[in-house]
Amino acid sequence: AQSVTQPDIHITVSEGASLELRCNYSYGATPYLFWYVQSPGQGLQLLLKYFSGDTLVQGIKGFEAEFKRSQSSFNLRKPSVHWSDAAEYFCAVASKSSGDKLTFGTGTRLAVRP
Amino acid sequence: NAGVTQTPKFQVLKTGQSMTLQCAQDMNHNSMYWYRQDPGMGLRLIYYSASEGTTDKGEVPNGYNVSRLNKREFSLRLESAAPSQTSVYFCASSAVGGGGEQFFGPGTRLTVL
């Protein structure tokens, strides 16, 4: 069964600092990988996705993520964080065998220090 | 397009009461999902429907029933609510072959006293 681990429950960064959120997955074949963001009181919004091809994917709001098969990782990065990035971030995985079903990590809550 | 809509936004129930959460999507998606979100546990799949007329259990189906009324609508019913069902419930939809990309509604915050 596929699984996702987000080892950091809570992260605080200063505005303007760089950000990296970690995500590790467990799945035998090539997974489909996603990052979603959830602002307080809102639903989830897709930031970016990886299906195949270039392992560095660009998303909305200046985010990017890199798929590293050797490390089973799909870490999310942003070079300069804005106060509006404060939210909860979820990594998720799907596969051809799971159809369209997603398995989510437990999330990382990001706080931004002024 | 409204995307995925959910009603109600908030609900308070007493133990043993029943209620139905409604979800509708206008993106012509075949697949629809119900999740619950609890602190520190991420989103867990309750039920899903791969197409109109079909439904399947997810990770945490106990205490819930679903109905895929038509292609647009997918409802979640709590027959006898329990405090353990206090949670935020999200509906989502996806296109077949979308590789897992799902679109989410704004959620329903349910409290069971």
Side-chain angles (χ1 to χ4, degrees):
Chain A
Q2 55 199 31
S3 65
V4 177
T5 301
Q6 293 181 248
D8 303 306
I9 296 172
H10 191 273
I11 285 181
T12 300
V13 299
S14 297
E15 190 167 16
S18 63
L19 171 70
E20 183 169 24
L21 302 182
R22 295 183 290 166
C23 172
N24 293 96
Y25 67 90
S26 172
Y27 182 67
T30 300
Y32 305 140
L33 294 159
F34 305 82
W35 275 99
Y36 283 85
V37 60
Q38 183 182 31
S39 298
Q42 304 295 316
L44 277 71
Q45 179 185 21
L46 181 68
L47 279 177
L48 48 78
K49 59 189 177 187
Y50 171 78
F51 286 174
S52 64
D54 192 347
T55 57
L56 184 63
V57 294
Q58 303 296 322
I60 61 171
K61 305 185 180 188
F63 285 92
E64 67 178 25
E66 187 171 10
F67 170 60
K68 293 186 177 180
R69 184 190 299 277
S70 61
Q71 299 177 18
S72 297
S73 69
F74 188 57
N75 294 349
L76 182 71
R77 301 194 293 249
K78 187 170 185 179
S80 178
V81 169
H82 188 263
W83 64 266
S84 61
D85 293 324
E88 189 154 21
Y89 293 80
F90 293 93
C91 183
V93 63
S95 65
K96 284 187 177 180
S97 62
S98 74
D100 294 325
K101 287 190 292 179
L102 290 172
T103 298
F104 284 88
T106 52
T108 297
R109 183 167 298 276
L110 173 66
V112 180
R113 197 185 298 121
Chain B
N1 288 348
V4 180
T5 57
Q6 293 182 235
T7 55
K9 292 190 186 304
F10 301 94
Q11 184 71 48
V12 178
L13 293 178
K14 295 181 179 178
T15 298
Q17 287 185 318
S18 63
M19 79 160 295
T20 300
L21 281 65
Q22 306 287 354
C23 173
Q25 52 91 11
D26 62 2
M27 294 174 282
N28 202 36
H29 286 165
N30 285 308
S31 301
M32 297 186 73
Y33 312 81
W34 276 106
Y35 293 91
R36 61 178 289 171
Q37 183 181 27
D38 302 292
M41 302 191 75
L43 277 78
R44 292 181 292 167
L45 184 64
I46 304 172
Y47 270 94
Y48 67 99
S49 171
S51 62
E52 185 178 351
T54 68
T55 60
D56 285 288
K57 295 178 180 180
E59 182 184 352
V60 289
N62 291 344
Y64 305 95
N65 286 300
V66 290
S67 295
R68 183 73 182 269
L69 305 171
N70 48 56
K71 192 171 186 178
R72 289 188 64 248
E73 298 172 288
F74 188 38
S75 63
L76 178 71
R77 182 161 178 83
L78 286 70
E79 291 290 351
S80 178
S84 60
Q85 295 178 303
T86 293
S87 188
V88 181
Y89 291 86
F90 288 100
C91 178
S93 70
S94 68
V96 172
E101 180 175 356
Q102 296 181 14
F103 297 81
F104 284 80
T108 295
R109 185 173 294 275
L110 174 67
T111 301
V112 183
L113 302 175

